[in-house]
Amino acid sequence: MSRIRGQGGAAGYPQTESMLGDCMSHYGRELGAASEFGGALAEAGEALQQVAQARHALDGDIKRSFIGPLEQLQNTELKEIQFQLKKLNGRRLDFDYKRRRRGKVPAQEVQRAWDKFLLSKELVERSMFVLLQSDVDQLSRLAALVAALLDFHRNAHRILLGLHGNLQARLTASSNRPERRFRPKKIRVRNELNGSFPSITRAVPSGEQLSALPSRPSSPISCYADSNLILDQPCCRAMYSFRPSHAGELSFSEGDVIVLTNQVDANWFEGTLAGQSGLFPVSYVDVLVPLPLP
């Protein structure tokens, strides 16, 4: 019983699911919504937080419906029975002693010791009878404990099953997405005389230094990508050219920047380009500014 009391009093320890969920949510936010893995981490963190909340509720139910009544049983009925048993044993020893000294001890003393022994025996038996009669209460508390455990595992199974399905959907979408290719960013070299940009732009291959570009020795260099874009609204860049196969789809070429207006589902965006609106596949574009959350 003391072990049960110790476990019941050990409240306030952090749940494993809660700590893992906090960690996943933190790094999911760090990676950002544009990262598929970041989104999956944030989703898994939220699910584990829900499991931690369910476990916290289970702890409260167990302490209230099972451990608390057991502690009360120990402090009242069982404690009283132990006291009566100790008293009964002392009166039995007193009666045996006086009975062996019969002739030296008055018969009235022996009879009085015997009466006290019988009284203690009856009190112990009555206390045990009352305790055993409360079997229904004890069994109902044990059944409530098992029901609380079942309820927790059902909730945890439902939460984790939903998470597993969402992760499988993300995995399928990522597997079906066309392979992305690296495209080097463009730079422009500022003309020292008039501050304008030459009409020729050049892609910087991986590993090439800016100093290798043709420029005057003292010309300032402005290195930036897509300087003419104003990223003040949801938009994306086309990674591949897309030609519609159905009415209502939007045609675009690789490198086009499309304004996002809606996400129809996990596979299709809706957007506008050059005055035209339509649907196009999510897997064909790279989101620059995401749509606001609903």
Side-chain angles (χ1 to χ4, degrees), residues 30 38 42 64 102 108 112 119 141 185 192 217 220 229 234 252 289:
E30 289 289 323
R64 180 177 58 257
R102 184 173 299 179
Q108 294 84 356
R112 191 178 300 113
L119 179 61
R141 294 187 183 109
K185 301 293 184 180
E192 185 184 34
L229 294 180
F252 53 81
V289 178

Side-chain angles (χ1 to χ4, degrees), residues 156-227:
H157 179 265
R158 174 181 54 80
I159 294 169
L160 295 178
L161 192 62
L163 173 63
H164 181 264
N166 293 340
L167 292 179
Q168 286 296 326
R170 286 180 179 272
L171 182 60
T172 301
S174 298
S175 300
N176 294 334
R177 183 175 299 172
E179 183 180 357
R180 299 176 61 179
R181 293 176 299 172
F182 171 74
R183 294 193 308 115
K185 301 293 184 180
K186 295 181 179 181
I187 69 166
R188 296 182 181 184
V189 181
R190 187 183 299 275
N191 191 306
E192 185 184 34
L193 297 178
N194 54 18
S196 63
F197 292 97
S199 58
I200 299 176
T201 62
R202 176 185 174 192
V204 181
S206 176
E208 184 174 343
Q209 302 297 324
L210 294 177
S211 59
L213 293 171
S215 62
R216 299 187 180 186
S218 58
S219 297
I221 297 178
S222 173
C223 301
Y224 59 92
D226 302 321
S227 62

Side-chain angles (χ1 to χ4, degrees), residues 83-204:
F83 172 75
Q84 294 294 341
L85 284 173
K86 186 176 180 180
K87 193 173 181 180
L88 175 65
N89 186 55
R91 289 185 173 180
R92 182 185 62 82
L93 293 175
D94 181 62
F95 170 71
D96 288 343
Y97 171 77
K98 292 178 178 178
R99 186 182 57 176
R100 286 195 301 267
R101 294 178 58 86
R102 184 173 299 179
K104 296 181 179 180
V105 176
Q108 294 84 356
E109 289 291 330
V110 177
Q111 184 62 40
R112 191 178 300 113
W114 173 249
D115 293 340
K116 289 182 179 180
F117 170 73
L118 291 179
L119 179 61
S120 292
K121 176 176 174 294
E122 181 180 353
L123 288 175
V124 170
E125 290 174 346
R126 186 181 300 275
S127 298
M128 290 297 298
F129 178 79
V130 171
L131 175 64
L132 295 177
Q133 280 294 100
S134 63
D135 276 352
V136 175
D137 295 334
Q138 309 307 327
L139 288 174
S140 64
R141 294 187 183 109
L142 183 59
L145 168 65
V146 175
L149 288 170
L150 283 173
D151 187 56
F152 162 71
H153 286 290
R154 275 195 294 263
N155 287 336
H157 179 265
R158 174 181 54 80
I159 294 169
L160 295 178
L161 192 62
L163 173 63
H164 181 264
N166 293 340
L167 292 179
Q168 286 296 326
R170 286 180 179 272
L171 182 60
T172 301
S174 298
S175 300
N176 294 334
R177 183 175 299 172
E179 183 180 357
R180 299 176 61 179
R181 293 176 299 172
F182 171 74
R183 294 193 308 115
K185 301 293 184 180
K186 295 181 179 181
I187 69 166
R188 296 182 181 184
V189 181
R190 187 183 299 275
N191 191 306
E192 185 184 34
L193 297 178
N194 54 18
S196 63
F197 292 97
S199 58
I200 299 176
T201 62
R202 176 185 174 192
V204 181

